[in-house]
Amino acid sequence: LKEKLTQEKKLLDEYTKRINSFQKELSKAEQNYSAKEAQVAQLTQACEKTKVLVEQTEAEFNTKLSESAFETEAAVTKALMDQDDFNQLNKSYEDYKDKYKTLCTKLEANKADSSQLGRIQKELSVLQEKIEKVQTDHEEELEKKSQLQEEKISFENKIKKVNQLTKECEQLQAKNEALFMLDNDVSGRNNPKKLPFDSWVLGTFFEDVVRSANVHFQTISSGRYRFNLDYQKESGRGMHGLDLTVTDSFTGFERGTSSLSGGETFMASLSLALALTDVVQAQTGGITLDSLFIDEGFGSLDGQALENAIAILDQIREHRTVGIISHIESLQQAILSQLHVEKTNTGSTIHII
């Protein structure tokens, strides 16, 4: 772009010099033409005056000739001027005429050259626009270059910052390697069973809950079902250790709790709830759980399971109060102390039986 701009400037200077030269020659020719034209006008006026003077002189000459001693004009001419003087005067007149024609020719040539001045000026205008465009493009490129330079410096500073932080991170990691190892062990990422520490602690407590729940679960299910605590990692990278499975003594297979039916799920939930109250009360010393409330769920049990559940609740009633919310008719017959809630259009009414 700089080289192109220099070439365009040189071309502009050359055209400018040519225009200045043409203008000087035109001005000089116009001055010469004006001077010569004035001379021609003077000569023409002089010729007219001379013509009149000649006519007057001829008249006077004829008058004088008739009055003089000369017989002819030739005699008078011979007496006044010789041929050499006349030729010299005539030659001077012809020279003035030639110079006048030359000046007129030059003047026309200069006028023709001045017609090219407009074309040259137009070309100079176009050239000037090109130069201005090149200058604008050059300034834009410089601005882009400056922006890219600033971005480069910014990226270099960011890279230095990242390298510094990486180095600091490596130093902190090396300094706290023991803590990272402990964290991996506690979180379960670095122990063989992939079992987090909190899951292991809860699992230890949960073993007591499952052990107590199996007593209730086998009683309610007439010995068919029992819980198993699963410490195995199922799949992928997930941590695990508090999962339950159920062993079905009728089939001899172990299956997940999600495969239990509605009645089986209620029996399992009731067993775990009862076991949880037993374990909490046993491990907390002075804390006692004097009441237990069970909301629905008995309708999903068959007759034998319902009788087994009522038998367990009767045993619990010896130590704490058991409240059951249900619409099952057989429960109403088995439980003597009851609160009946009757709905009316003005509100609900409680009856103690």
Side-chain angles (χ1 to χ4, degrees), residues 84-96:
D84 292 336
D85 292 336
F86 177 75
N87 291 337
Q88 185 64 34
L89 181 60
N90 189 52
K91 185 176 181 303
S92 296
Y93 175 72
E94 293 296 331
D95 289 341
Y96 278 117

Side-chain angles (χ1 to χ4, degrees), residues 91-108:
K91 185 176 181 303
S92 296
Y93 175 72
E94 293 296 331
D95 289 341
Y96 278 117
K97 287 177 65 177
D98 292 339
K99 288 181 180 179
Y100 176 75
K101 290 180 180 179
T102 302
L103 289 174
C104 290
T105 302
K106 287 185 177 180
L107 181 61
E108 293 298 327

Side-chain angles (χ1 to χ4, degrees), residues 21-216:
S21 177
F22 284 144
Q23 289 177 344
K24 288 180 180 179
E25 291 181 3
L26 178 60
S27 177
K28 185 177 180 181
E30 288 176 348
Q31 292 175 359
N32 292 334
Y33 175 76
S34 299
K36 296 300 179 181
E37 191 176 37
Q39 291 178 2
V40 171
Q42 292 176 357
L43 291 172
T44 302
Q45 186 177 5
C47 287
E48 293 295 331
K49 290 181 179 180
T50 302
K51 183 178 179 181
V52 173
L53 184 60
V54 167
E55 291 177 353
Q56 293 176 354
T57 303
E58 285 180 351
E60 291 178 0
F61 176 75
N62 291 329
T63 301
K64 295 294 182 181
L65 182 60
S66 61
E67 295 177 353
S68 68
F70 293 101
E71 296 180 355
T72 62
E73 181 180 349
V76 176
T77 302
K78 184 177 179 181
L80 294 175
M81 182 181 294
D82 58 14
Q83 188 64 35
D84 292 336
D85 292 336
F86 177 75
N87 291 337
Q88 185 64 34
L89 181 60
N90 189 52
K91 185 176 181 303
S92 296
Y93 175 72
E94 293 296 331
D95 289 341
Y96 278 117
K97 287 177 65 177
D98 292 339
K99 288 181 180 179
Y100 176 75
K101 290 180 180 179
T102 302
L103 289 174
C104 290
T105 302
K106 287 185 177 180
L107 181 61
E108 293 298 327
N110 287 334
K111 288 181 178 180
D113 291 339
S114 65
S115 65
Q116 297 180 1
L117 182 62
R119 180 180 58 81
I120 294 174
Q121 288 178 342
K122 185 176 180 180
E123 292 179 356
L124 286 176
S125 178
V126 174
L127 184 61
Q128 184 67 29
E129 290 178 357
K130 289 183 179 179
I131 291 174
E132 291 176 356
K133 186 177 185 303
V134 170
Q135 289 177 340
T136 302
D137 294 340
H138 180 63
E139 291 174 357
E140 290 178 354
E141 291 296 329
L142 289 177
E143 185 176 356
K144 289 180 181 179
K145 180 180 178 182
S146 176
Q147 291 177 352
L148 291 174
Q149 188 68 23
E150 291 177 359
E151 291 179 0
K152 179 184 176 183
I153 295 174
S154 177
F155 282 130
E156 289 176 350
N157 292 333
K158 289 180 180 179
I159 291 173
K160 290 180 181 179
K161 186 65 175 179
V162 169
N163 292 334
Q164 181 182 356
L165 292 175
T166 302
K167 185 176 180 181
E168 293 177 359
C169 182
E170 291 175 352
Q171 292 175 352
L172 289 174
Q173 188 171 1
K175 183 179 179 180
N176 299 288
E177 185 176 1
L179 294 177
F180 286 123
M181 293 178 62
L182 178 60
D183 177 66
N184 289 332
D185 290 337
V186 171
S187 63
R189 290 188 296 268
N190 204 28
N191 61 56
K193 291 187 176 182
K194 299 295 180 182
L195 184 65
F197 180 73
D198 55 349
S199 296
W200 177 79
V201 172
L202 291 175
T204 303
F205 174 76
F206 201 36
E207 286 179 355
D208 296 335
V209 175
V210 171
R211 190 179 302 109
S212 176
N214 277 331
V215 176
H216 301 297

